[in-house]
Amino acid sequence: MSASTALQQALRLRDQPDLLTGLQRAPLPPEMTALIRTATDDGTSTPTERAAAAAFLQQVCLHAGADARRCLGLRADDDLTTARTHHRLLIRWLHPDRNPDDQVLAERVNSAWTALKHPPPSPPALPEAGMPPQGQARSRFPVFLGLLLAGALLLLAVSLLPEAPVYVAPTDKPTAASATVEALPAAAWPAPIIRPTKTRPAPPPVASRAAPAATVAAPEKKPIVPAARQNHAPPSTLKTATAMPLPKPVPVAAPVPEAISAEEAEALLQQYQAHYSAGNLAG
């Protein structure tokens, strides 16, 4: 396209005002910088071109509801340097000293430049499904809650299990075994086991070790003789004491317990059956 494309659309808009709605929705034409320079009266354009350029900028770029880039006359491929140039040219054109009636348009240009120069921070990227945001630890509360519920269910299942009886209390009703034992005659009962009573044997008499005065003589006190002289002493000078034999202990027979009668055996057996039925193991 030629450099006069934007200016040609401005001239067409002056002749055909019904094109305004389509031009407000369509992308901006190229060479918008040249169109802005024409509106600022740089001395190289005619009054008709300056009026058409100013009307195009006011109606297509600076209308109410236009975004920041459109207010500055920027296309999709223009950078921040171009935005700075357009802002400087538009403010010179809309300065209150030159156009006091276009103060609202000047405020829109300044607001658009501020928005482009200081863009708002971009929102953080959404995390993937099932992944915690970056820099944020995964919460462990669901895991703790699941373990707590599992423990509660386990305790409930254990409490519902049937309890095994530890001890069965004896009943007053006689059992078949006890009835059979009571029905037997006394002669058929087994003989009681009689264990001998352990008695401690009497100590044997201690014989007196005192020798008769006539048999054993009192030892004489002899002077202490060195070992060297004792070896050479004559055997006649050494006296030996006569040892007395100890008496042998007399064995004492253990007492033999007397046998009990059948009546006593029957009484003992009945006591045993009563203690056994009552669960009295100590008895």
Side-chain angles (χ1 to χ4, degrees), residues 127-138:
E128 298 181 2
M131 296 295 294
Q134 187 176 3
Q136 181 179 358
R138 185 190 296 269

Side-chain angles (χ1 to χ4, degrees), residues 131-156:
M131 296 295 294
Q134 187 176 3
Q136 181 179 358
R138 185 190 296 269
S139 177
R140 298 183 179 179
F141 180 75
V143 179
F144 173 75
L145 184 60
L147 294 177
L148 186 62
L149 292 177
L153 292 177
L154 182 60
L155 291 177
L156 181 60

Side-chain angles (χ1 to χ4, degrees), residues 39-237:
T40 57
D41 190 11
D42 56 354
T44 60
S45 58
T46 63
T48 303
E49 293 176 348
R50 289 196 300 268
F56 184 88
L57 292 175
Q58 292 176 2
Q59 298 176 5
V60 177
C61 296
L62 296 174
H63 63 88
D67 58 358
R69 294 186 64 85
R70 196 174 188 90
C71 288
L72 294 177
L74 300 176
R75 291 167 52 84
D77 54 349
D78 292 336
D79 55 3
L80 191 61
T81 303
T82 306
R84 185 182 293 107
T85 303
H86 287 190
H87 173 259
R88 179 174 52 83
L89 294 174
L90 290 172
I91 289 299
R92 187 174 63 179
W93 167 52
L94 298 173
H95 198 272
D97 296 340
R98 300 182 59 180
N99 296 313
D101 298 336
D102 297 333
Q103 186 177 358
V104 178
L105 300 180
E107 293 178 357
R108 291 179 184 176
V109 171
N110 288 329
S111 299
W113 169 244
T114 303
L116 290 179
K117 185 170 58 174
H118 303 289
S122 59
L126 296 177
E128 298 181 2
M131 296 295 294
Q134 187 176 3
Q136 181 179 358
R138 185 190 296 269
S139 177
R140 298 183 179 179
F141 180 75
V143 179
F144 173 75
L145 184 60
L147 294 177
L148 186 62
L149 292 177
L153 292 177
L154 182 60
L155 291 177
L156 181 60
V158 172
S159 63
L160 295 178
L161 292 177
E163 298 182 358
V166 180
Y167 175 74
V168 179
T171 57
D172 297 336
K173 297 180 179 181
T175 59
S178 59
T180 305
V181 173
E182 292 179 357
L184 293 176
W189 291 352
I193 301 175
I194 301 174
R195 296 182 178 180
T197 305
K198 295 183 179 180
T199 57
R200 182 177 298 178
V206 181
S208 178
R209 295 185 179 181
T215 306
V216 181
E220 298 179 359
K221 295 183 179 180
K222 298 184 296 179
I224 299 174
V225 182
R229 295 184 180 181
Q230 288 181 2
N231 294 335
H232 298 284
S236 59
T237 59

